Amino acid sequence: MASSDISSIPTPAHCTADFCLIPIGTSSPSVSAQIADVQRLIEKCGLKYVMHSAGTTIEGPWDRVHQVIGQAHTLLHRQGIVRIQSDVRVGSRTDKEQSFEDKVNKVRELLGKE
Amino acid sequence: MASSDISSIPTPAHCTADFCLIPIGTSSPSVSAQIADVQRLIEKCGLKYVMHSAGTTIEGPWDRVHQVIGQAHTLLHRQGIVRIQSDVRVGSRTDKEQSFEDKVNKVRELLGKE
Amino acid sequence: MASSDISSIPTPAHCTADFCLIPIGTSSPSVSAQIADVQRLIEKCGLKYVMHSAGTTIEGPWDRVHQVIGQAHTLLHRQGIVRIQSDVRVGSRTDKEQSFEDKVNKVRELLGKE
Amino acid sequence: MASSDISSIPTPAHCTADFCLIPIGTSSPSVSAQIADVQRLIEKCGLKYVMHSAGTTIEGPWDRVHQVIGQAHTLLHRQGIVRIQSDVRVGSRTDKEQSFEDKVNKVRELLGKE
């Protein structure tokens, strides 16, 4: 693979990313105000998403999904939070398009809950 | 801190752990059968839990919660899956006991959804 | 925040991301050949990076860092791996520019190892 | 699987866990003092470990490894840090015993660096 080839490799057209964002050095152990601000941002980004107690799952093109997570960092930095850490679980697959709801539903089906 | 002091440090009495387990080298990209088996195990452990599309959240004493995740690894190893990786987000706090539902509810409240 | 404001929020100019990439459904529990391919890709991207036993840490502009991780997914998808999951720990800070080496060195200094 | 069977399932005899611990609500964006304290704890636990810029990797029996991470939480809680979050990447395998050094060495070998 020549060096020139790298820039021609695209990022995945679709991915599912679950992220948990943590503001550091905020003096308060509560982060719900910041998480609410991030939710308001995500609501406006136009991507499919769902919030749960351990993070937020977003679906969409790789670049767009990671842009939104980066914008969430910037949003909180602008509020004066100088350090932010996110844990992101991101998956891509080429065999089929599977939404995050499909994944849960498939497991529930196997469990005979549906 | 003397070496003898280490064993006397307890683990947290309560924690919330969100884990995403991935079987490696399974020949199939689908992992829902394995996740369903893990869910059946967790259902029997007696701890409060909830499954979402990016993982499963469990609440309880630190040692017990991590024992259950370890048992999930063993369960799948016994099925012949030789390698398993889990990503775990685990939190503990001493200021109050906050369930994973409380966390989501607090953010929703701030968002004016409740 | 109006909807139109979202696109104007930039992503962080600098971040440190540590990622652990897992190919799923590969039939072999060994993933070192794939990790080596990812390393070759990263070597060519021009960003500062270091590999360790639990992942690879990359430093650079938010968009570029996440583009490279996405390209790593695409590279392996092109080899026929249909499903890939990465765990990413990404941090940004505005108070100072701190390289990943600085972080380790500061802790080592506190430990009196240097 | 009867309910009585659960308690008889052991946790893995060996695992490799890489963890990144974040104190929340500390008023300072610097966490190096806390990380140094955690390192001192780990040094005394007797398990094989290595610190890198994005976390610390520990090897050993599943229960012992997770006990140490829990003790690290408790250690910092006792210093007055009321909330702590760790991200843990934990892997177990039954096909061979592979240390974290073996993993890096195998990839480096493929890359022709050794």
Side-chain angles (χ1 to χ4, degrees):
Chain A
M1 183 170 56
S3 183
S4 55
D5 294 342
I6 303 172
S7 59
S8 68
I9 302 176
T11 54
H14 187 266
C15 74
T16 302
D18 185 72
F19 75 104
C20 170
L21 182 154
I22 300 175
I24 301 177
T26 51
S27 82
S28 163
S30 173
V31 298
S32 46
Q34 284 85 37
I35 300 304
D37 286 335
V38 169
Q39 292 303 311
R40 283 185 203 101
L41 172 77
I42 296 172
E43 276 173 31
K44 283 169 189 147
C45 77
L47 298 178
K48 194 170 156 188
Y49 76 98
V50 64
M51 178 178 69
H52 55 90
S53 70
T56 298
T57 308
I58 317 183
E59 260 184 56
W62 182 282
D63 294 346
R64 186 83 185 94
V65 162
H66 289 90
Q67 182 191 21
V68 171
I69 301 172
Q71 289 176 319
H73 276 235
T74 298
L75 182 74
L76 298 186
H77 280 317
R78 286 180 174 177
Q79 294 178 7
I81 296 168
V82 299
R83 189 172 186 181
I84 299 163
Q85 181 87 6
S86 284
D87 178 58
V88 189
R89 295 171 186 160
V90 54
S92 62
R93 59 192 303 176
T94 53
D95 55 340
K96 59 174 172 179
E97 210 166 298
Q98 186 185 42
S99 73
F100 54 72
E101 289 145 336
D102 293 342
K103 287 202 284 183
V104 173
N105 289 339
K106 201 167 161 199
V107 173
R108 285 203 181 124
E109 216 177 298
L110 289 170
L111 292 172
K113 282 193 174 162
E114 288 187 355
Chain B
M1 184 168 55
S3 183
S4 56
D5 293 343
I6 303 171
S7 59
S8 67
I9 301 175
T11 54
H14 188 266
C15 74
T16 302
D18 185 72
F19 76 105
C20 170
L21 182 155
I22 300 175
I24 302 178
T26 51
S27 81
S28 162
S30 173
V31 298
S32 47
Q34 284 84 38
I35 300 303
D37 285 334
V38 169
Q39 293 303 312
R40 282 185 204 103
L41 172 76
I42 295 172
E43 276 173 33
K44 282 171 188 146
C45 77
L47 298 177
K48 196 172 156 187
Y49 76 97
V50 63
M51 177 180 70
H52 55 89
S53 69
T56 298
T57 308
I58 317 185
E59 260 183 57
W62 181 282
D63 294 346
R64 186 82 184 94
V65 162
H66 289 90
Q67 181 190 20
V68 171
I69 302 172
Q71 289 176 320
H73 276 234
T74 298
L75 182 73
L76 298 186
H77 281 315
R78 286 182 174 176
Q79 295 178 5
I81 297 169
V82 298
R83 191 171 185 182
I84 299 164
Q85 181 86 6
S86 284
D87 178 58
V88 188
R89 296 171 185 158
V90 56
S92 62
R93 59 192 303 176
T94 54
D95 56 339
K96 60 175 170 178
E97 209 167 300
Q98 188 185 42
S99 73
F100 53 73
E101 288 145 336
D102 293 342
K103 287 202 283 184
V104 172
N105 290 338
K106 200 169 164 199
V107 173
R108 284 203 180 125
E109 217 177 297
L110 290 170
L111 292 172
K113 282 193 174 162
E114 293 188 348
Chain C
M1 184 169 55
S3 183
S4 56
D5 293 342
I6 303 172
S7 58
S8 68
I9 302 175
T11 53
H14 188 265
C15 74
T16 302
D18 185 74
F19 76 103
C20 171
L21 182 154
I22 300 174
I24 302 177
T26 51
S27 81
S28 163
S30 173
V31 298
S32 47
Q34 285 84 39
I35 301 303
D37 286 335
V38 170
Q39 293 302 312
R40 283 186 203 102
L41 173 76
I42 295 171
E43 275 173 33
K44 283 171 188 145
C45 77
L47 298 177
K48 196 171 156 188
Y49 75 97
V50 64
M51 177 178 71
H52 55 89
S53 70
T56 298
T57 308
I58 317 184
E59 261 184 56
W62 182 282
D63 294 347
R64 186 82 184 94
V65 163
H66 289 91
Q67 182 191 20
V68 171
I69 302 172
Q71 289 176 321
H73 276 234
T74 298
L75 182 74
L76 298 187
H77 280 316
R78 285 180 174 177
Q79 295 178 6
I81 296 168
V82 299
R83 189 170 188 182
I84 300 163
Q85 180 85 7
S86 284
D87 179 58
V88 188
R89 295 171 186 160
V90 55
S92 62
R93 58 192 304 176
T94 54
D95 56 339
K96 59 174 171 179
E97 210 166 298
Q98 187 185 42
S99 73
F100 53 74
E101 288 145 336
D102 294 341
K103 287 201 283 184
V104 172
N105 289 339
K106 200 169 163 200
V107 173
R108 284 203 180 125
E109 216 177 297
L110 290 169
L111 291 172
K113 282 193 175 161
E114 290 186 352
Chain D
M1 185 169 55
S3 183
S4 56
D5 294 341
I6 303 171
S7 58
S8 68
I9 302 176
T11 53
H14 188 266
C15 74
T16 301
D18 184 74
F19 77 103
C20 170
L21 181 154
I22 300 175
I24 302 178
T26 51
S27 82
S28 162
S30 173
V31 298
S32 46
Q34 284 84 38
I35 299 304
D37 286 334
V38 170
Q39 292 303 311
R40 282 185 205 103
L41 172 76
I42 296 172
E43 275 173 34
K44 284 170 188 145
C45 77
L47 298 177
K48 196 173 157 187
Y49 75 97
V50 64
M51 178 180 69
H52 56 89
S53 69
T56 297
T57 308
I58 317 183
E59 261 183 56
W62 182 282
D63 294 348
R64 187 80 185 96
V65 163
H66 289 91
Q67 181 191 21
V68 171
I69 302 173
Q71 289 175 320
H73 276 234
T74 298
L75 182 74
L76 298 185
H77 280 316
R78 285 181 174 177
Q79 295 179 5
I81 296 169
V82 298
R83 190 171 186 181
I84 299 163
Q85 181 86 6
S86 284
D87 179 58
V88 188
R89 295 172 185 159
V90 55
S92 62
R93 60 192 303 176
T94 53
D95 55 339
K96 59 175 171 180
E97 209 167 299
Q98 186 184 43
S99 74
F100 53 73
E101 289 146 334
D102 293 341
K103 287 202 283 183
V104 172
N105 290 339
K106 200 169 163 198
V107 173
R108 283 202 181 126
E109 216 178 298
L110 289 170
L111 292 171
K113 282 191 173 164
E114 292 187 351

